[in-house]
Amino acid sequence: MKVLEGSYVSGGKFAIVASRFNEFIVSKLISGAEDTLVRHGVSSDDITLAWVPGAFEIPIAALKLAKSGNYDAVICLGAVIRGSTSHYDYVCSEVSKGVAQAGLQTGVPVLFGVVTTENIEQAIERAGTKAGNKGADAAMAALEMASLLPKLD
Ligand SMILES: Nc1c(NC[C@H](O)[C@H](O)[C@H](O)CO)[nH]c(=O)[nH]c1=O
Ligand SMILES: CC(=O)[C@@H](O)COP(=O)(O)O
């Protein structure tokens, strides 16, 4: 059986799109992502960070970065925490669909590192405490997909 898979050794170029809403959480996701990339051989000079106001704006920035052809992967980071209305549902739905479409439309790996939680405690748990760091997880996926996709040509 011939198996095609990615590895985690990379010298590539990566973009991070991060939303400022709940910046206390998102900053930890960024740190996790950057630390993971650098520890796997990516130069910090080859990591580009683009800020957007909120998670709803992530897809348009991710699509533009992916279309540029300058990056081996685009990592999307944000924190959407449920409030007292249905706004949360609409934001989460559009962000996840938009991030997925950015990857499908361009063929560039666009990774979903947006925490979508019921409360602040759950977000903190996923930003470097008891449930890990979703930014680091997205960066690991970015390394693997950036390595894998060229092998599928
Ligand atoms: N409530 C959260 C938001 N809301 C803002 C939207 O993402 C968007 O910026 C606004 O509707 C203007 O288009 N964003 C988050 O990232 N996290 C939230 O919890
Ligand atoms: C995820 C959101 O948009 C949410 O935080 C907004 O809060 P609310 O539903 O109370 O307006």
PDB file of all heavy atoms in Angstrom, residues 11-12 16 20 27-28 35 41 67-68 85 93 116-117 119 136 139:
ATOM      1  N   GLY A  11      10.215  24.640   6.560  1.00  0.00           N
ATOM      2  CA  GLY A  11      10.885  25.944   6.546  1.00  0.00           C
ATOM      3  C   GLY A  11      10.004  26.928   5.822  1.00  0.00           C
ATOM      4  O   GLY A  11      10.456  27.958   5.358  1.00  0.00           O
ATOM      5  N   GLY A  12       8.732  26.591   5.703  1.00  0.00           N
ATOM      6  CA  GLY A  12       7.824  27.355   4.858  1.00  0.00           C
ATOM      7  C   GLY A  12       7.418  28.700   5.399  1.00  0.00           C
ATOM      8  O   GLY A  12       7.900  29.159   6.418  1.00  0.00           O
ATOM      9  N   ILE A  16      -0.962  34.045   9.784  1.00  0.00           N
ATOM     10  CA  ILE A  16      -1.942  33.897  10.858  1.00  0.00           C
ATOM     11  C   ILE A  16      -2.940  35.039  10.726  1.00  0.00           C
ATOM     12  O   ILE A  16      -2.541  36.217  10.661  1.00  0.00           O
ATOM     13  CB  ILE A  16      -1.281  33.933  12.246  1.00  0.00           C
ATOM     14  CG1 ILE A  16      -0.310  32.762  12.422  1.00  0.00           C
ATOM     15  CG2 ILE A  16      -2.345  33.924  13.340  1.00  0.00           C
ATOM     16  CD1 ILE A  16       0.500  32.818  13.713  1.00  0.00           C
ATOM     17  N   ARG A  20      -9.484  40.389  17.023  1.00  0.00           N
ATOM     18  CA  ARG A  20      -9.213  41.127  18.256  1.00  0.00           C
ATOM     19  C   ARG A  20     -10.262  40.902  19.331  1.00  0.00           C
ATOM     20  O   ARG A  20      -9.972  41.025  20.513  1.00  0.00           O
ATOM     21  CB  ARG A  20      -9.140  42.630  17.956  1.00  0.00           C
ATOM     22  CG  ARG A  20      -7.946  43.061  17.178  1.00  0.00           C
ATOM     23  CD  ARG A  20      -7.854  44.585  17.153  1.00  0.00           C
ATOM     24  NE  ARG A  20      -6.830  45.051  16.226  1.00  0.00           N
ATOM     25  CZ  ARG A  20      -5.522  44.982  16.462  1.00  0.00           C
ATOM     26  NH1 ARG A  20      -5.104  44.476  17.612  1.00  0.00           N
ATOM     27  NH2 ARG A  20      -4.646  45.403  15.572  1.00  0.00           N
ATOM     28  N   SER A  27      -4.731  36.173  22.076  1.00  0.00           N
ATOM     29  CA  SER A  27      -3.281  36.367  22.199  1.00  0.00           C
ATOM     30  C   SER A  27      -2.585  35.074  22.632  1.00  0.00           C
ATOM     31  O   SER A  27      -1.460  34.777  22.193  1.00  0.00           O
ATOM     32  CB  SER A  27      -2.979  37.477  23.204  1.00  0.00           C
ATOM     33  OG  SER A  27      -3.459  37.138  24.505  1.00  0.00           O
ATOM     34  N   LYS A  28      -3.270  34.278  23.429  1.00  0.00           N
ATOM     35  CA  LYS A  28      -2.691  33.008  23.869  1.00  0.00           C
ATOM     36  C   LYS A  28      -2.686  31.991  22.717  1.00  0.00           C
ATOM     37  O   LYS A  28      -1.778  31.166  22.583  1.00  0.00           O
ATOM     38  CB  LYS A  28      -3.486  32.432  25.058  1.00  0.00           C
ATOM     39  CG  LYS A  28      -3.573  33.360  26.249  1.00  0.00           C
ATOM     40  CD  LYS A  28      -2.210  33.564  26.917  1.00  0.00           C
ATOM     41  CE  LYS A  28      -2.372  34.230  28.263  1.00  0.00           C
ATOM     42  NZ  LYS A  28      -2.792  35.641  28.139  1.00  0.00           N
ATOM     43  N   ASP A  35       4.763  29.559  18.672  1.00  0.00           N
ATOM     44  CA  ASP A  35       5.719  28.680  19.357  1.00  0.00           C
ATOM     45  C   ASP A  35       5.813  27.336  18.646  1.00  0.00           C
ATOM     46  O   ASP A  35       6.907  26.808  18.417  1.00  0.00           O
ATOM     47  CB  ASP A  35       5.271  28.469  20.808  1.00  0.00           C
ATOM     48  CG  ASP A  35       6.141  27.465  21.556  1.00  0.00           C
ATOM     49  OD1 ASP A  35       7.340  27.759  21.744  1.00  0.00           O
ATOM     50  OD2 ASP A  35       5.630  26.380  21.889  1.00  0.00           O
ATOM     51  N   GLY A  41      10.851  24.423  13.068  1.00  0.00           N
ATOM     52  CA  GLY A  41      11.776  24.857  12.025  1.00  0.00           C
ATOM     53  C   GLY A  41      11.347  26.034  11.185  1.00  0.00           C
ATOM     54  O   GLY A  41      12.004  26.376  10.198  1.00  0.00           O
ATOM     55  N   LYS A  67      -5.002  33.536  -1.489  1.00  0.00           N
ATOM     56  CA  LYS A  67      -4.931  33.863  -2.914  1.00  0.00           C
ATOM     57  C   LYS A  67      -3.599  34.490  -3.300  1.00  0.00           C
ATOM     58  O   LYS A  67      -3.177  34.403  -4.451  1.00  0.00           O
ATOM     59  CB  LYS A  67      -6.067  34.814  -3.303  1.00  0.00           C
ATOM     60  CG  LYS A  67      -7.412  34.161  -3.546  1.00  0.00           C
ATOM     61  CD  LYS A  67      -8.425  35.185  -4.011  1.00  0.00           C
ATOM     62  CE  LYS A  67      -9.747  34.544  -4.394  1.00  0.00           C
ATOM     63  NZ  LYS A  67     -10.753  35.574  -4.815  1.00  0.00           N
ATOM     64  N   SER A  68      -2.927  35.133  -2.349  1.00  0.00           N
ATOM     65  CA  SER A  68      -1.675  35.841  -2.665  1.00  0.00           C
ATOM     66  C   SER A  68      -0.604  34.884  -3.182  1.00  0.00           C
ATOM     67  O   SER A  68       0.317  35.290  -3.890  1.00  0.00           O
ATOM     68  CB  SER A  68      -1.155  36.562  -1.410  1.00  0.00           C
ATOM     69  OG  SER A  68      -0.609  35.635  -0.475  1.00  0.00           O
ATOM     70  N   THR A  85     -27.757  36.286  23.062  1.00  0.00           N
ATOM     71  CA  THR A  85     -28.632  36.239  21.879  1.00  0.00           C
ATOM     72  C   THR A  85     -28.101  35.178  20.905  1.00  0.00           C
ATOM     73  O   THR A  85     -27.113  34.514  21.178  1.00  0.00           O
ATOM     74  CB  THR A  85     -28.649  37.614  21.157  1.00  0.00           C
ATOM     75  OG1 THR A  85     -27.391  37.808  20.498  1.00  0.00           O
ATOM     76  CG2 THR A  85     -28.917  38.733  22.137  1.00  0.00           C
ATOM     77  N   SER A  93     -21.221  30.031  12.530  1.00  0.00           N
ATOM     78  CA  SER A  93     -21.562  29.353  11.283  1.00  0.00           C
ATOM     79  C   SER A  93     -20.827  29.963  10.095  1.00  0.00           C
ATOM     80  O   SER A  93     -20.217  29.259   9.283  1.00  0.00           O
ATOM     81  CB  SER A  93     -23.081  29.448  11.058  1.00  0.00           C
ATOM     82  OG  SER A  93     -23.427  28.921   9.799  1.00  0.00           O
ATOM     83  N   THR A 116     -14.869  28.169  19.835  1.00  0.00           N
ATOM     84  CA  THR A 116     -16.279  28.552  19.884  1.00  0.00           C
ATOM     85  C   THR A 116     -16.852  27.919  21.154  1.00  0.00           C
ATOM     86  O   THR A 116     -17.068  26.719  21.218  1.00  0.00           O
ATOM     87  CB  THR A 116     -17.014  28.021  18.640  1.00  0.00           C
ATOM     88  OG1 THR A 116     -16.822  26.607  18.538  1.00  0.00           O
ATOM     89  CG2 THR A 116     -16.464  28.669  17.377  1.00  0.00           C
ATOM     90  N   THR A 117     -17.046  28.743  22.164  1.00  0.00           N
ATOM     91  CA  THR A 117     -17.358  28.183  23.480  1.00  0.00           C
ATOM     92  C   THR A 117     -18.631  28.775  24.096  1.00  0.00           C
ATOM     93  O   THR A 117     -19.084  29.852  23.727  1.00  0.00           O
ATOM     94  CB  THR A 117     -16.177  28.422  24.455  1.00  0.00           C
ATOM     95  OG1 THR A 117     -16.024  29.833  24.651  1.00  0.00           O
ATOM     96  CG2 THR A 117     -14.903  27.822  23.922  1.00  0.00           C
ATOM     97  N   ASN A 119     -18.811  29.582  27.270  1.00  0.00           N
ATOM     98  CA  ASN A 119     -18.460  30.528  28.325  1.00  0.00           C
ATOM     99  C   ASN A 119     -16.962  30.791  28.337  1.00  0.00           C
ATOM    100  O   ASN A 119     -16.188  30.119  27.652  1.00  0.00           O
ATOM    101  CB  ASN A 119     -18.920  29.984  29.684  1.00  0.00           C
ATOM    102  CG  ASN A 119     -18.400  28.573  29.931  1.00  0.00           C
ATOM    103  OD1 ASN A 119     -17.198  28.355  29.882  1.00  0.00           O
ATOM    104  ND2 ASN A 119     -19.313  27.635  30.142  1.00  0.00           N
ATOM    105  N   ALA A 136      -1.984  26.181  18.930  1.00  0.00           N
ATOM    106  CA  ALA A 136      -0.910  25.220  18.694  1.00  0.00           C
ATOM    107  C   ALA A 136      -1.403  24.057  17.842  1.00  0.00           C
ATOM    108  O   ALA A 136      -0.721  23.601  16.931  1.00  0.00           O
ATOM    109  CB  ALA A 136      -0.358  24.706  20.017  1.00  0.00           C
ATOM    110  N   ALA A 139      -1.637  25.123  14.286  1.00  0.00           N
ATOM    111  CA  ALA A 139      -0.307  25.252  13.695  1.00  0.00           C
ATOM    112  C   ALA A 139       0.267  23.892  13.321  1.00  0.00           C
ATOM    113  O   ALA A 139       0.875  23.728  12.260  1.00  0.00           O
ATOM    114  CB  ALA A 139       0.628  25.969  14.658  1.00  0.00           C
TER     115      ALA A 139
END
